[in-house]
Amino acid sequence: MEKSSEKSNWRNGTFYLNPYLGGMFLGLVLLATFYITGRGLGASGAVKNTVVTAVHTIAPRHTENSHYYNKFISTDTQPMNNWLVFEVLGVLAGALLSGILYGRLNFKTEHSPKITTKKRLIFAFSGGILFGIGSQLARGCTSGAALSGMAVLSAAGFITMMAIFGTAYIFAYVFRKNWI
Amino acid sequence: MTGPLIPMGYIPEAWNNVIAVLLGAGFGFTLEASGFSSSRKIMGTFYGYDFVVLRVFFTAAITALVGLMYFDYLGWADFSMMYVLPTYLTAAIVGGIIMGMGFAMGGYCPGTSFCAIAIGKIDALVFTTGLLIGIFAFSEAFPLVEKIYESGNLGSIKVSDSLGISDGVFTFILIIVALGMFFGATLVERKVKKVEY
């Protein structure tokens, strides 16, 4: 009796939005972003801006001479540069709010019972490195290139989306023991 | 007021960062509430036990796309003023492949890892640390990859133009394909053993 009432409680961490409703909300947020700013949402760009700013502070001559860093160094002509950093601060706040509301706040490392926490963390770290490299090459990640690109029919958005998902399906088989 | 509002000058620059935080909060809330703060839920799409990523992702892209087309049609926003990510064919494909590998290994993409950090996932914090190092490594090693990065530049082309069909027809086909995938996903989920996480 107690267990079933616990299960129906939407604040015990097991409640998720209906995926089509969640997708529609996400689409409306993206639509609002385009309507207001003329650009889409992003995620990896905020990390890139952090890296560029950090390296530029430590070694300004190095960044000015680099063909990559000097594309993104803040200047008076590029006031939008920090937009993504503020957006990601919002992402953290929004996700925290949802986590509080639905009772999902706790420190943990999520992994399949078939692998150790250590193995999970090594793979998470390696996956992060690859995602970092790939997102710079493709000029955006799943948010900035694939999702936002698709919303404005960018060919690159569709190509990147198919490359990410297609490759992930292939490698999911290789790494299946990590997940199922 | 015809959008986009900030580039058209309807909203003063000073509001930029406030708007960024608010839109980001909407983004983060919907991602977390849809279950994207769990790597094992995200990976369900690739093993067939939970297709939430497929459903949310395509529903979101189509909602925004159809919305923008209506806004343009009704004169509320100028679609041609929107930033269209330029297509560098080789870089988009190679970058996407590298990200796909990272996805299968790490279980997150950058946006979802931020959401997972916000609710306390240690693996997401480690993923994001890797992300930072990967971006730093790419930036430092840029001379080695500059050729791939700049190759195959086709400009800000639209997928509909490159296929030679109208935006409307392409969007209609995209919706049919998405509905087909949603239907297929439901069938697969019924056959695949549930994974507890």
PDB file of all heavy atoms in Angstrom, chain A residues 10-22:
ATOM      1  N   TRP A  10       4.671  12.141  -7.819  1.00  0.00           N
ATOM      2  CA  TRP A  10       5.467  12.713  -8.911  1.00  0.00           C
ATOM      3  C   TRP A  10       6.713  13.429  -8.415  1.00  0.00           C
ATOM      4  O   TRP A  10       7.531  13.878  -9.195  1.00  0.00           O
ATOM      5  CB  TRP A  10       4.601  13.629  -9.769  1.00  0.00           C
ATOM      6  CG  TRP A  10       3.953  14.754  -8.994  1.00  0.00           C
ATOM      7  CD1 TRP A  10       2.800  14.686  -8.294  1.00  0.00           C
ATOM      8  CD2 TRP A  10       4.437  16.085  -8.830  1.00  0.00           C
ATOM      9  NE1 TRP A  10       2.540  15.885  -7.699  1.00  0.00           N
ATOM     10  CE2 TRP A  10       3.522  16.776  -8.024  1.00  0.00           C
ATOM     11  CE3 TRP A  10       5.568  16.777  -9.308  1.00  0.00           C
ATOM     12  CZ2 TRP A  10       3.685  18.098  -7.662  1.00  0.00           C
ATOM     13  CZ3 TRP A  10       5.719  18.108  -8.940  1.00  0.00           C
ATOM     14  CH2 TRP A  10       4.792  18.755  -8.127  1.00  0.00           C
ATOM     15  N   ARG A  11       6.899  13.480  -7.093  1.00  0.00           N
ATOM     16  CA  ARG A  11       8.087  14.163  -6.578  1.00  0.00           C
ATOM     17  C   ARG A  11       9.142  13.190  -6.073  1.00  0.00           C
ATOM     18  O   ARG A  11      10.091  13.588  -5.415  1.00  0.00           O
ATOM     19  CB  ARG A  11       7.685  15.134  -5.468  1.00  0.00           C
ATOM     20  CG  ARG A  11       6.710  16.195  -5.963  1.00  0.00           C
ATOM     21  CD  ARG A  11       6.636  17.368  -5.052  1.00  0.00           C
ATOM     22  NE  ARG A  11       7.929  18.050  -4.959  1.00  0.00           N
ATOM     23  CZ  ARG A  11       8.082  19.220  -4.362  1.00  0.00           C
ATOM     24  NH1 ARG A  11       7.039  19.814  -3.808  1.00  0.00           N
ATOM     25  NH2 ARG A  11       9.261  19.792  -4.305  1.00  0.00           N
ATOM     26  N   ASN A  12       9.006  11.905  -6.372  1.00  0.00           N
ATOM     27  CA  ASN A  12       9.983  10.937  -5.848  1.00  0.00           C
ATOM     28  C   ASN A  12      11.125  10.641  -6.831  1.00  0.00           C
ATOM     29  O   ASN A  12      11.894   9.725  -6.624  1.00  0.00           O
ATOM     30  CB  ASN A  12       9.284   9.650  -5.408  1.00  0.00           C
ATOM     31  CG  ASN A  12       8.785   8.835  -6.588  1.00  0.00           C
ATOM     32  OD1 ASN A  12       8.884   9.272  -7.734  1.00  0.00           O
ATOM     33  ND2 ASN A  12       8.258   7.660  -6.322  1.00  0.00           N
ATOM     34  N   GLY A  13      11.207  11.408  -7.901  1.00  0.00           N
ATOM     35  CA  GLY A  13      12.337  11.246  -8.814  1.00  0.00           C
ATOM     36  C   GLY A  13      12.059  10.402 -10.043  1.00  0.00           C
ATOM     37  O   GLY A  13      12.883  10.334 -10.943  1.00  0.00           O
ATOM     38  N   THR A  14      10.888   9.750 -10.079  1.00  0.00           N
ATOM     39  CA  THR A  14      10.620   8.860 -11.218  1.00  0.00           C
ATOM     40  C   THR A  14       9.731   9.507 -12.285  1.00  0.00           C
ATOM     41  O   THR A  14       9.497   8.921 -13.334  1.00  0.00           O
ATOM     42  CB  THR A  14       9.931   7.560 -10.751  1.00  0.00           C
ATOM     43  OG1 THR A  14       8.740   7.916 -10.055  1.00  0.00           O
ATOM     44  CG2 THR A  14      10.841   6.750  -9.847  1.00  0.00           C
ATOM     45  N   PHE A  15       9.238  10.712 -12.002  1.00  0.00           N
ATOM     46  CA  PHE A  15       8.332  11.338 -12.968  1.00  0.00           C
ATOM     47  C   PHE A  15       9.105  12.054 -14.080  1.00  0.00           C
ATOM     48  O   PHE A  15      10.045  12.805 -13.814  1.00  0.00           O
ATOM     49  CB  PHE A  15       7.414  12.349 -12.260  1.00  0.00           C
ATOM     50  CG  PHE A  15       6.556  13.127 -13.215  1.00  0.00           C
ATOM     51  CD1 PHE A  15       5.344  12.609 -13.671  1.00  0.00           C
ATOM     52  CD2 PHE A  15       6.967  14.368 -13.695  1.00  0.00           C
ATOM     53  CE1 PHE A  15       4.568  13.323 -14.575  1.00  0.00           C
ATOM     54  CE2 PHE A  15       6.193  15.087 -14.602  1.00  0.00           C
ATOM     55  CZ  PHE A  15       4.993  14.557 -15.043  1.00  0.00           C
ATOM     56  N   TYR A  16       8.698  11.808 -15.326  1.00  0.00           N
ATOM     57  CA  TYR A  16       9.252  12.553 -16.455  1.00  0.00           C
ATOM     58  C   TYR A  16       8.107  13.075 -17.297  1.00  0.00           C
ATOM     59  O   TYR A  16       7.028  12.470 -17.351  1.00  0.00           O
ATOM     60  CB  TYR A  16      10.151  11.660 -17.319  1.00  0.00           C
ATOM     61  CG  TYR A  16      11.403  11.219 -16.613  1.00  0.00           C
ATOM     62  CD1 TYR A  16      11.567   9.895 -16.215  1.00  0.00           C
ATOM     63  CD2 TYR A  16      12.418  12.133 -16.335  1.00  0.00           C
ATOM     64  CE1 TYR A  16      12.712   9.492 -15.556  1.00  0.00           C
ATOM     65  CE2 TYR A  16      13.570  11.734 -15.676  1.00  0.00           C
ATOM     66  CZ  TYR A  16      13.707  10.419 -15.296  1.00  0.00           C
ATOM     67  OH  TYR A  16      14.840  10.019 -14.645  1.00  0.00           O
ATOM     68  N   LEU A  17       8.335  14.192 -17.963  1.00  0.00           N
ATOM     69  CA  LEU A  17       7.324  14.731 -18.867  1.00  0.00           C
ATOM     70  C   LEU A  17       7.062  13.727 -19.983  1.00  0.00           C
ATOM     71  O   LEU A  17       7.955  12.981 -20.380  1.00  0.00           O
ATOM     72  CB  LEU A  17       7.827  16.024 -19.525  1.00  0.00           C
ATOM     73  CG  LEU A  17       7.950  17.293 -18.698  1.00  0.00           C
ATOM     74  CD1 LEU A  17       8.415  18.430 -19.627  1.00  0.00           C
ATOM     75  CD2 LEU A  17       6.623  17.662 -18.057  1.00  0.00           C
ATOM     76  N   ASN A  18       5.853  13.751 -20.502  1.00  0.00           N
ATOM     77  CA  ASN A  18       5.585  13.001 -21.729  1.00  0.00           C
ATOM     78  C   ASN A  18       6.575  13.502 -22.787  1.00  0.00           C
ATOM     79  O   ASN A  18       6.740  14.711 -22.947  1.00  0.00           O
ATOM     80  CB  ASN A  18       4.139  13.266 -22.155  1.00  0.00           C
ATOM     81  CG  ASN A  18       3.823  12.686 -23.518  1.00  0.00           C
ATOM     82  OD1 ASN A  18       4.370  13.145 -24.527  1.00  0.00           O
ATOM     83  ND2 ASN A  18       2.980  11.695 -23.560  1.00  0.00           N
ATOM     84  N   PRO A  19       7.281  12.590 -23.507  1.00  0.00           N
ATOM     85  CA  PRO A  19       8.355  13.046 -24.404  1.00  0.00           C
ATOM     86  C   PRO A  19       7.875  13.980 -25.528  1.00  0.00           C
ATOM     87  O   PRO A  19       8.627  14.852 -25.954  1.00  0.00           O
ATOM     88  CB  PRO A  19       8.918  11.745 -24.975  1.00  0.00           C
ATOM     89  CG  PRO A  19       7.913  10.702 -24.670  1.00  0.00           C
ATOM     90  CD  PRO A  19       7.203  11.124 -23.438  1.00  0.00           C
ATOM     91  N   TYR A  20       6.644  13.791 -25.986  1.00  0.00           N
ATOM     92  CA  TYR A  20       6.154  14.666 -27.054  1.00  0.00           C
ATOM     93  C   TYR A  20       5.839  16.053 -26.492  1.00  0.00           C
ATOM     94  O   TYR A  20       6.084  17.074 -27.135  1.00  0.00           O
ATOM     95  CB  TYR A  20       4.931  14.064 -27.744  1.00  0.00           C
ATOM     96  CG  TYR A  20       5.227  12.702 -28.326  1.00  0.00           C
ATOM     97  CD1 TYR A  20       4.620  11.544 -27.829  1.00  0.00           C
ATOM     98  CD2 TYR A  20       6.151  12.565 -29.359  1.00  0.00           C
ATOM     99  CE1 TYR A  20       4.919  10.295 -28.346  1.00  0.00           C
ATOM    100  CE2 TYR A  20       6.462  11.318 -29.884  1.00  0.00           C
ATOM    101  CZ  TYR A  20       5.844  10.186 -29.368  1.00  0.00           C
ATOM    102  OH  TYR A  20       6.152   8.961 -29.883  1.00  0.00           O
ATOM    103  N   LEU A  21       5.314  16.070 -25.263  1.00  0.00           N
ATOM    104  CA  LEU A  21       5.045  17.350 -24.594  1.00  0.00           C
ATOM    105  C   LEU A  21       6.373  18.055 -24.279  1.00  0.00           C
ATOM    106  O   LEU A  21       6.534  19.256 -24.553  1.00  0.00           O
ATOM    107  CB  LEU A  21       4.257  17.091 -23.307  1.00  0.00           C
ATOM    108  CG  LEU A  21       3.674  18.313 -22.608  1.00  0.00           C
ATOM    109  CD1 LEU A  21       2.591  18.947 -23.474  1.00  0.00           C
ATOM    110  CD2 LEU A  21       3.101  17.928 -21.246  1.00  0.00           C
ATOM    111  N   GLY A  22       7.329  17.282 -23.742  1.00  0.00           N
ATOM    112  CA  GLY A  22       8.663  17.831 -23.452  1.00  0.00           C
ATOM    113  C   GLY A  22       9.312  18.372 -24.714  1.00  0.00           C
ATOM    114  O   GLY A  22       9.907  19.454 -24.712  1.00  0.00           O
TER     115      GLY A  22
END
